[in-house]
């Protein structure tokens, strides 16, 4: 599968066919049904198979809901999340498919693809966190700093603005200070 997630660009789903999804899910279900009588007696195994079946149903519902979304109406951030979800889910299902087929997926190219998607997820998470980061109002910060710092020019200005106070103030008969 060729995804354009390396640059966090949106996918155009009209170019991709997802006919493989029902095949993968069908193969996973078939592998769980081909059990011997002896294996059916193992309650832990039967419980795990039931959990797997419920998980497959949940995955199908999730993917169907995500595939029916109007992709063009999504924001760029939602498109990135959507693309990463679809890519990771499909590749993870293919991983399970390979495991059920007896193929070691750690030596298959799917391992590199999953690692690439994970690194892209980290990169997208960092970009989204950076977007939501608090910003500093630089002009306001400069005003705060300028007013808080003392400069020798301030001392000269203050001394020029201050008049020498009259220590003895005389008042006239009306109570007004006289000069």
């Amino acid at each position: 599968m060729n995804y354009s997630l390396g640059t966090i660009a949106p996918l155009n789903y009209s170019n991709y066919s997802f006919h493989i999804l029902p095949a993968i899910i069908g193969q996973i279900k078939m592998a769980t049904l081909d059990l011997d009588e002896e294996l059916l007696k193992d309650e832990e195994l039967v419980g795990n198979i039931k959990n797997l079946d419920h998980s497959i149903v949940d995955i199908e519902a999730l993917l169907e809901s995500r595939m029916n979304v109007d992709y063009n109406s999504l924001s760029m951030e939602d498109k990135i999340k959507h693309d990463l979800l679809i890519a990771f889910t499909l590749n993870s299902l293919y991983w399970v498919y390979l495991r059920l087929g007896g193929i070691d997926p750690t030596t298959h190219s799917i391992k590199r693809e999953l690692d690439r998607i994970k690194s892209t997820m980290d990169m997208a998470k960092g970009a989204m966190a950076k977007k939501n980061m608090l910003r500093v109002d630089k002009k306001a910060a400069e005003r705060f700093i300028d007013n808080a710092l003392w400069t020798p020019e301030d001392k000269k200005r203050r001394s020029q603005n201050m008049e020498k106070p009259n220590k003895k103030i005389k008042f006239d008969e009306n109570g007004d200070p006289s000069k």
Side-chain angles (χ1 to χ4, degrees), residues 170-179:
K170 295 183 182 180
F171 294 93
D172 61 8
E173 297 169 358
N174 297 333
D176 295 328
S178 62
K179 293 185 179 181

Side-chain angles (χ1 to χ4, degrees), residues 38-102:
E38 186 176 313
L39 290 176
L40 288 174
K41 294 177 184 175
D42 186 3
E43 292 178 18
E44 183 180 347
L45 178 64
V46 172
N48 287 340
I49 291 172
K50 286 181 181 178
N51 286 339
L52 177 63
D53 189 48
H54 291 298
S55 297
I56 291 172
V57 170
D58 292 342
I59 291 170
E60 282 180 316
L62 172 74
L63 286 175
E64 283 179 25
S65 68
R66 295 306 293 175
M67 298 305 279
N68 293 331
V69 171
D70 182 20
Y71 189 76
N72 294 328
S73 67
L74 296 176
S75 67
M76 183 58 73
E77 188 174 323
D78 289 336
K79 285 180 182 179
I80 291 170
K81 288 179 183 178
H82 182 264
D83 291 344
L84 289 171
L85 172 75
I86 297 296
F88 189 77
T89 305
L90 290 176
N91 283 291
S92 297
L93 286 173
Y94 191 66
W95 175 284
V96 172
Y97 175 74
L98 290 175
R99 290 287 304 256
L100 289 172

Side-chain angles (χ1 to χ4, degrees), residues 104-150:
D104 183 18
T106 58
T107 60
H108 195 272
S109 63
I110 194 70
K111 171 76 170 137
R112 273 182 285 127
E113 184 68 16
L114 280 169
D115 290 340
R116 189 179 70 82
I117 293 170
K118 286 179 186 176
S119 68
T120 305
M121 285 178 165
D122 291 338
M123 189 170 57
K125 189 184 296 184
M128 288 177 202
K130 193 173 185 180
K131 177 187 162 210
N132 296 331
M133 214 166 57
L134 294 177
R135 303 279 184 238
V136 175
D137 186 358
K138 290 181 183 179
K139 290 182 181 179
E142 286 175 7
R143 286 193 306 266
F144 277 114
I145 292 170
D146 287 344
N147 290 328
L149 295 176
W150 177 83

